[in-house]
Amino acid sequence: MLDEAARATGVDEELLKAVITVESNYNPRAVSPRGALGLMQLTPVTADRYGTREERQTPAARRLLDARTNIFTGARMLADLTRRYGGIDVALAAWNAGEGTVRKAGGRMPAIAETEAHVQLPQHAHGVEVVSCAPQTCGQ
Protein backbone atom coordinates (compact mmCIF):
# COMPACT_ATOMS: atom_id res chain seq x y z
CA MET A 1 0.00 0.00 0.00
CA LEU A 2 2.77 2.44 0.88
CA ASP A 3 4.60 1.86 -2.38
CA GLU A 4 1.38 2.27 -4.34
CA ALA A 5 0.44 5.48 -2.49
CA ALA A 6 3.94 6.85 -3.01
CA ARG A 7 3.83 6.18 -6.74
CA ALA A 8 0.31 7.60 -7.07
CA THR A 9 1.06 10.86 -5.25
CA GLY A 10 4.79 11.41 -5.68
CA VAL A 11 5.32 11.41 -1.90
CA ASP A 12 8.42 9.47 -0.88
CA GLU A 13 7.54 6.09 0.62
CA GLU A 14 10.06 6.59 3.43
CA LEU A 15 8.35 9.86 4.35
CA LEU A 16 5.01 8.05 4.53
CA LYS A 17 6.56 5.42 6.80
CA ALA A 18 8.08 8.10 9.02
CA VAL A 19 4.78 9.96 9.38
CA ILE A 20 2.94 6.74 10.22
CA THR A 21 5.59 5.81 12.79
CA VAL A 22 5.34 9.19 14.50
CA GLU A 23 1.58 9.57 14.28
CA SER A 24 0.31 6.09 15.19
CA ASN A 25 3.26 3.70 15.50
CA TYR A 26 1.52 1.63 12.81
CA ASN A 27 -1.70 1.23 14.80
CA PRO A 28 -4.51 1.39 12.20
CA ARG A 29 -7.09 1.81 14.99
CA ALA A 30 -5.32 4.71 16.74
CA VAL A 31 -7.56 7.57 17.88
CA SER A 32 -6.08 10.78 19.27
CA PRO A 33 -7.63 12.92 21.99
CA ARG A 34 -8.37 15.48 19.24
CA GLY A 35 -10.26 12.97 17.09
CA ALA A 36 -7.55 12.13 14.56
CA LEU A 37 -7.86 8.57 13.33
CA GLY A 38 -5.88 5.70 11.91
CA LEU A 39 -2.33 5.21 10.72
CA MET A 40 -1.67 8.79 9.64
CA GLN A 41 -3.88 10.38 12.31
CA LEU A 42 -6.20 12.30 10.03
CA THR A 43 -9.30 14.18 11.14
CA PRO A 44 -12.68 13.58 9.50
CA VAL A 45 -12.54 17.12 8.06
CA THR A 46 -9.21 16.30 6.40
CA ALA A 47 -10.61 13.02 5.13
CA ASP A 48 -13.48 14.85 3.47
CA ARG A 49 -11.14 17.44 1.98
CA TYR A 50 -8.68 14.93 0.51
CA GLY A 51 -10.98 11.98 -0.05
CA THR A 52 -12.06 10.89 -3.49
CA ARG A 53 -15.70 11.16 -4.51
CA GLU A 54 -16.05 7.41 -4.02
CA GLU A 55 -14.37 7.50 -0.60
CA ARG A 56 -16.67 10.29 0.57
CA GLN A 57 -19.64 7.95 0.17
CA THR A 58 -18.52 6.32 3.44
CA PRO A 59 -18.54 8.33 6.69
CA ALA A 60 -15.06 9.74 7.36
CA ALA A 61 -14.76 8.29 10.85
CA ARG A 62 -15.30 4.81 9.44
CA ARG A 63 -13.15 5.09 6.33
CA LEU A 64 -10.16 6.52 8.21
CA LEU A 65 -9.88 3.26 10.14
CA ASP A 66 -9.31 1.47 6.83
CA ALA A 67 -5.51 1.37 6.42
CA ARG A 68 -5.52 1.75 2.64
CA THR A 69 -7.90 4.70 2.64
CA ASN A 70 -6.03 6.38 5.48
CA ILE A 71 -2.66 6.02 3.75
CA PHE A 72 -3.90 7.28 0.39
CA THR A 73 -5.73 10.21 1.98
CA GLY A 74 -2.66 11.15 4.00
CA ALA A 75 -0.40 10.81 0.96
CA ARG A 76 -2.68 13.09 -1.07
CA MET A 77 -2.60 15.63 1.76
CA LEU A 78 1.20 15.52 2.05
CA ALA A 79 1.54 15.93 -1.72
CA ASP A 80 -0.77 18.95 -1.66
CA LEU A 81 0.95 20.57 1.33
CA THR A 82 4.39 20.02 -0.20
CA ARG A 83 3.32 21.64 -3.47
CA ARG A 84 1.60 24.50 -1.71
CA TYR A 85 4.39 25.33 0.72
CA GLY A 86 7.29 24.45 -1.56
CA GLY A 87 9.03 22.02 0.75
CA ILE A 88 8.60 18.99 2.90
CA ASP A 89 9.67 20.75 6.10
CA VAL A 90 6.92 23.38 5.94
CA ALA A 91 4.42 20.76 4.70
CA LEU A 92 5.14 18.70 7.81
CA ALA A 93 4.81 21.81 9.95
CA ALA A 94 1.37 22.43 8.40
CA TRP A 95 0.52 18.77 9.03
CA ASN A 96 1.44 19.12 12.70
CA ALA A 97 0.47 22.68 13.60
CA GLY A 98 -2.20 23.32 11.01
CA GLU A 99 -2.23 25.27 7.79
CA GLY A 100 -3.56 28.42 9.45
CA THR A 101 -0.64 28.46 11.87
CA VAL A 102 1.85 28.15 9.00
CA ARG A 103 0.08 30.96 7.12
CA LYS A 104 0.33 33.17 10.23
CA ALA A 105 4.06 32.37 10.35
CA GLY A 106 4.43 33.74 6.82
CA GLY A 107 4.52 30.33 5.17
CA ARG A 108 7.45 29.27 7.30
CA MET A 109 8.02 26.89 10.19
CA PRO A 110 6.06 28.30 13.15
CA ALA A 111 7.95 28.81 16.41
CA ILE A 112 6.08 26.07 18.27
CA ALA A 113 8.12 23.58 20.31
CA GLU A 114 6.00 20.56 19.33
CA THR A 115 6.19 21.42 15.63
CA GLU A 116 9.92 22.10 15.74
CA ALA A 117 10.42 18.74 17.50
CA HIS A 118 8.16 17.02 14.96
CA VAL A 119 10.16 18.30 12.00
CA GLN A 120 13.91 18.28 12.46
CA LEU A 121 16.21 19.33 9.65
CA PRO A 122 19.84 18.70 10.55
CA GLN A 123 22.13 21.28 8.92
CA HIS A 124 23.93 18.64 6.85
CA ALA A 125 20.81 16.75 5.78
CA HIS A 126 19.36 16.85 2.30
CA GLY A 127 16.05 15.39 3.39
CA VAL A 128 13.66 15.53 6.28
CA GLU A 129 13.73 13.53 9.45
CA VAL A 130 10.37 13.11 11.18
CA VAL A 131 10.71 12.48 14.89
CA SER A 132 8.40 12.07 17.81
CA CYS A 133 8.81 14.02 21.01
CA ALA A 134 8.18 13.34 24.64
CA PRO A 135 4.94 14.77 26.06
CA GLN A 136 6.88 17.13 28.36
CA THR A 137 8.59 18.73 25.34
CA CYS A 138 5.52 18.77 23.13
CA GLY A 139 3.20 20.46 25.56
CA GLN A 140 0.68 17.61 25.35
Side-chain angles (χ1 to χ4, degrees):
M1 285 186 280
L2 290 167
D3 177 64
E4 190 180 343
R7 282 186 282 118
T9 62
V11 174
D12 186 84
E13 183 176 351
E14 294 303 314
L15 178 59
L16 294 174
K17 289 177 185 177
V19 170
I20 291 169
T21 298
V22 168
E23 294 293 344
S24 71
N25 198 28
Y26 281 85
N27 178 357
R29 295 275 192 228
V31 179
S32 81
R34 294 182 182 171
L37 302 162
L39 290 169
M40 297 190 79
Q41 290 293 279
L42 303 169
T43 64
V45 170
T46 297
D48 286 340
R49 181 175 178 189
Y50 290 100
T52 65
R53 183 178 304 160
E54 182 180 329
E55 288 169 349
R56 289 192 305 267
Q57 300 303 310
T58 302
R62 191 168 89 210
R63 74 178 180 266
L64 285 175
L65 296 177
D66 172 72
R68 179 180 179 78
T69 302
N70 192 286
I71 289 168
F72 273 80
T73 304
R76 287 188 296 265
M77 180 180 176
L78 276 174
D80 177 58
L81 292 173
T82 301
R83 279 188 302 271
R84 195 157 356 127
Y85 293 110
I88 295 169
D89 56 339
V90 182
L92 289 171
W95 180 285
N96 177 262
E99 294 174 57
T101 302
V102 170
R103 275 192 300 274
K104 288 178 187 172
R108 296 187 182 94
M109 178 79 64
I112 299 171
E114 176 185 351
T115 302
E116 291 171 348
H118 189 76
V119 181
Q120 291 189 358
L121 296 172
Q123 296 292 24
H124 64 281
H126 296 286
V128 174
E129 177 183 1
V130 181
V131 297
S132 60
C133 56
Q136 63 270 25
T137 64
C138 291
Q140 297 174 345

PDB file of all heavy atoms in Angstrom, residues 14 16 24 42 49 68 76 79 93 96 104 130 134:
ATOM      1  N   GLU A  14       9.415   6.501   2.115  1.00  0.00           N
ATOM      2  CA  GLU A  14      10.061   6.592   3.428  1.00  0.00           C
ATOM      3  C   GLU A  14       9.447   7.708   4.266  1.00  0.00           C
ATOM      4  O   GLU A  14       9.355   7.591   5.487  1.00  0.00           O
ATOM      5  CB  GLU A  14      11.572   6.776   3.280  1.00  0.00           C
ATOM      6  CG  GLU A  14      12.273   5.573   2.666  1.00  0.00           C
ATOM      7  CD  GLU A  14      12.042   4.269   3.437  1.00  0.00           C
ATOM      8  OE1 GLU A  14      12.158   4.279   4.684  1.00  0.00           O
ATOM      9  OE2 GLU A  14      11.735   3.249   2.779  1.00  0.00           O
ATOM     10  N   LEU A  16       6.273   8.615   4.066  1.00  0.00           N
ATOM     11  CA  LEU A  16       5.005   8.053   4.531  1.00  0.00           C
ATOM     12  C   LEU A  16       5.231   7.148   5.737  1.00  0.00           C
ATOM     13  O   LEU A  16       4.498   7.223   6.732  1.00  0.00           O
ATOM     14  CB  LEU A  16       4.312   7.283   3.409  1.00  0.00           C
ATOM     15  CG  LEU A  16       3.829   8.111   2.223  1.00  0.00           C
ATOM     16  CD1 LEU A  16       3.299   7.203   1.127  1.00  0.00           C
ATOM     17  CD2 LEU A  16       2.779   9.123   2.647  1.00  0.00           C
ATOM     18  N   SER A  24       1.101   7.187  14.608  1.00  0.00           N
ATOM     19  CA  SER A  24       0.308   6.087  15.192  1.00  0.00           C
ATOM     20  C   SER A  24       1.125   4.869  15.579  1.00  0.00           C
ATOM     21  O   SER A  24       0.556   3.916  16.115  1.00  0.00           O
ATOM     22  CB  SER A  24      -0.748   5.633  14.186  1.00  0.00           C
ATOM     23  OG  SER A  24      -0.121   4.951  13.102  1.00  0.00           O
ATOM     24  N   LEU A  42      -5.490  11.278  10.788  1.00  0.00           N
ATOM     25  CA  LEU A  42      -6.203  12.302  10.031  1.00  0.00           C
ATOM     26  C   LEU A  42      -7.548  12.585  10.690  1.00  0.00           C
ATOM     27  O   LEU A  42      -8.192  11.687  11.222  1.00  0.00           O
ATOM     28  CB  LEU A  42      -6.427  11.823   8.597  1.00  0.00           C
ATOM     29  CG  LEU A  42      -5.159  11.438   7.842  1.00  0.00           C
ATOM     30  CD1 LEU A  42      -5.503  10.735   6.544  1.00  0.00           C
ATOM     31  CD2 LEU A  42      -4.311  12.658   7.587  1.00  0.00           C
ATOM     32  N   ARG A  49     -11.836  16.524   2.885  1.00  0.00           N
ATOM     33  CA  ARG A  49     -11.136  17.438   1.978  1.00  0.00           C
ATOM     34  C   ARG A  49     -10.290  16.693   0.953  1.00  0.00           C
ATOM     35  O   ARG A  49     -10.247  17.067  -0.217  1.00  0.00           O
ATOM     36  CB  ARG A  49     -10.257  18.378   2.799  1.00  0.00           C
ATOM     37  CG  ARG A  49      -9.506  19.381   1.968  1.00  0.00           C
ATOM     38  CD  ARG A  49      -8.761  20.332   2.864  1.00  0.00           C
ATOM     39  NE  ARG A  49      -7.996  21.287   2.084  1.00  0.00           N
ATOM     40  CZ  ARG A  49      -7.120  22.114   2.610  1.00  0.00           C
ATOM     41  NH1 ARG A  49      -6.918  22.116   3.902  1.00  0.00           N
ATOM     42  NH2 ARG A  49      -6.459  22.941   1.839  1.00  0.00           N
ATOM     43  N   ARG A  68      -5.771   1.300   4.012  1.00  0.00           N
ATOM     44  CA  ARG A  68      -5.517   1.749   2.642  1.00  0.00           C
ATOM     45  C   ARG A  68      -6.067   3.164   2.418  1.00  0.00           C
ATOM     46  O   ARG A  68      -5.373   4.039   1.893  1.00  0.00           O
ATOM     47  CB  ARG A  68      -6.140   0.771   1.650  1.00  0.00           C
ATOM     48  CG  ARG A  68      -5.933   1.177   0.214  1.00  0.00           C
ATOM     49  CD  ARG A  68      -6.573   0.158  -0.756  1.00  0.00           C
ATOM     50  NE  ARG A  68      -6.402   0.556  -2.116  1.00  0.00           N
ATOM     51  CZ  ARG A  68      -5.280   0.423  -2.819  1.00  0.00           C
ATOM     52  NH1 ARG A  68      -4.232  -0.138  -2.270  1.00  0.00           N
ATOM     53  NH2 ARG A  68      -5.205   0.838  -4.059  1.00  0.00           N
ATOM     54  N   ARG A  76      -2.158  11.991  -0.255  1.00  0.00           N
ATOM     55  CA  ARG A  76      -2.682  13.094  -1.069  1.00  0.00           C
ATOM     56  C   ARG A  76      -2.521  14.425  -0.336  1.00  0.00           C
ATOM     57  O   ARG A  76      -2.167  15.447  -0.929  1.00  0.00           O
ATOM     58  CB  ARG A  76      -4.142  12.848  -1.444  1.00  0.00           C
ATOM     59  CG  ARG A  76      -4.332  11.772  -2.496  1.00  0.00           C
ATOM     60  CD  ARG A  76      -5.753  11.680  -2.999  1.00  0.00           C
ATOM     61  NE  ARG A  76      -6.723  11.294  -2.002  1.00  0.00           N
ATOM     62  CZ  ARG A  76      -7.138  10.034  -1.800  1.00  0.00           C
ATOM     63  NH1 ARG A  76      -6.682   9.044  -2.544  1.00  0.00           N
ATOM     64  NH2 ARG A  76      -8.036   9.772  -0.874  1.00  0.00           N
ATOM     65  N   ALA A  79       1.186  15.446  -0.382  1.00  0.00           N
ATOM     66  CA  ALA A  79       1.542  15.926  -1.719  1.00  0.00           C
ATOM     67  C   ALA A  79       1.038  17.356  -1.916  1.00  0.00           C
ATOM     68  O   ALA A  79       1.768  18.218  -2.417  1.00  0.00           O
ATOM     69  CB  ALA A  79       0.963  15.001  -2.790  1.00  0.00           C
ATOM     70  N   ALA A  93       5.218  20.846   8.936  1.00  0.00           N
ATOM     71  CA  ALA A  93       4.810  21.811   9.952  1.00  0.00           C
ATOM     72  C   ALA A  93       3.308  22.077   9.843  1.00  0.00           C
ATOM     73  O   ALA A  93       2.603  22.136  10.849  1.00  0.00           O
ATOM     74  CB  ALA A  93       5.592  23.109   9.804  1.00  0.00           C
ATOM     75  N   ASN A  96       1.425  19.177  11.239  1.00  0.00           N
ATOM     76  CA  ASN A  96       1.443  19.123  12.697  1.00  0.00           C
ATOM     77  C   ASN A  96       0.707  20.280  13.353  1.00  0.00           C
ATOM     78  O   ASN A  96      -0.103  20.074  14.252  1.00  0.00           O
ATOM     79  CB  ASN A  96       2.897  19.066  13.189  1.00  0.00           C
ATOM     80  CG  ASN A  96       2.995  19.074  14.697  1.00  0.00           C
ATOM     81  OD1 ASN A  96       3.229  20.121  15.293  1.00  0.00           O
ATOM     82  ND2 ASN A  96       2.812  17.920  15.301  1.00  0.00           N
ATOM     83  N   LYS A 104       0.037  32.074   9.293  1.00  0.00           N
ATOM     84  CA  LYS A 104       0.325  33.167  10.226  1.00  0.00           C
ATOM     85  C   LYS A 104       1.823  33.361  10.424  1.00  0.00           C
ATOM     86  O   LYS A 104       2.267  34.460  10.757  1.00  0.00           O
ATOM     87  CB  LYS A 104      -0.343  32.907  11.577  1.00  0.00           C
ATOM     88  CG  LYS A 104      -1.847  33.069  11.545  1.00  0.00           C
ATOM     89  CD  LYS A 104      -2.459  32.740  12.891  1.00  0.00           C
ATOM     90  CE  LYS A 104      -3.967  32.738  12.797  1.00  0.00           C
ATOM     91  NZ  LYS A 104      -4.588  32.236  14.028  1.00  0.00           N
ATOM     92  N   VAL A 130      11.554  12.926  10.368  1.00  0.00           N
ATOM     93  CA  VAL A 130      10.366  13.109  11.185  1.00  0.00           C
ATOM     94  C   VAL A 130      10.618  12.393  12.488  1.00  0.00           C
ATOM     95  O   VAL A 130      11.005  11.229  12.496  1.00  0.00           O
ATOM     96  CB  VAL A 130       9.117  12.519  10.499  1.00  0.00           C
ATOM     97  CG1 VAL A 130       7.890  12.738  11.360  1.00  0.00           C
ATOM     98  CG2 VAL A 130       8.926  13.141   9.136  1.00  0.00           C
ATOM     99  N   ALA A 134       8.763  13.712  23.360  1.00  0.00           N
ATOM    100  CA  ALA A 134       8.179  13.342  24.640  1.00  0.00           C
ATOM    101  C   ALA A 134       7.083  14.332  25.004  1.00  0.00           C
ATOM    102  O   ALA A 134       7.180  15.520  24.670  1.00  0.00           O
ATOM    103  CB  ALA A 134       9.260  13.333  25.707  1.00  0.00           C
TER     104      ALA A 134
END
